[in-house]
Amino acid sequence: ANVLLMAAEHYRMRPATAEAFFYVNLGFSLLFAAEMALKILALGVRNYAHSHWNKFDAVLVLASLVDMLLALLAAPSALPVNPLVLRALRIFRCAR
């Protein structure tokens, strides 16, 4: 569902639609972060970090949260990196 939502974003979206997409993406990001936190609590940091897939997932979750934080705090033109680059990383979550 998250990938379909990201694929539905397009140039010149209506502001109300773009805002709805932002909040749905934020919900997905928080859900993935909660999943990561629960896995760390259940497995412990050492066992969690033992799996390469978990490390990969953690990088994607952290990149997603940084993307959302940058979008909330700064205007896109003021950022040194285009937030779409961070958003594109989330597509790799399907690789799991």
Side-chain angles (χ1 to χ4, degrees):
N2 187 27
V3 173
L4 292 176
L5 183 73
M6 289 188 320
E9 290 184 35
H10 59 279
Y11 182 65
R12 293 188 180 176
M13 269 196 312
R14 288 183 287 152
T17 305
E19 185 177 2
F21 275 35
F22 174 79
Y23 286 111
V24 172
N25 275 327
L26 179 62
F28 276 117
S29 295
L30 293 175
L31 183 68
F32 295 143
E35 175 195 17
M36 184 180 81
L38 288 173
K39 281 179 97 171
I40 290 171
L41 284 173
L43 299 174
V45 175
R46 180 170 287 172
N47 287 332
Y48 180 83
H50 185 70
S51 167
H52 295 298
W53 283 115
N54 286 340
K55 288 186 258 187
F56 178 67
D57 197 39
V59 167
L60 295 180
V61 168
L62 293 175
S64 178
L65 292 176
V66 167
D67 170 45
M68 292 291 164
L69 185 65
L70 290 175
L72 284 171
L73 297 178
S77 60
L79 298 176
V81 133
N82 188 342
L84 291 175
V85 173
L86 294 175
R87 256 179 237 142
L89 287 175
R90 287 190 287 173
I91 231 110
F92 291 110
R93 192 168 171 89
C94 293
R96 288 182 37 175

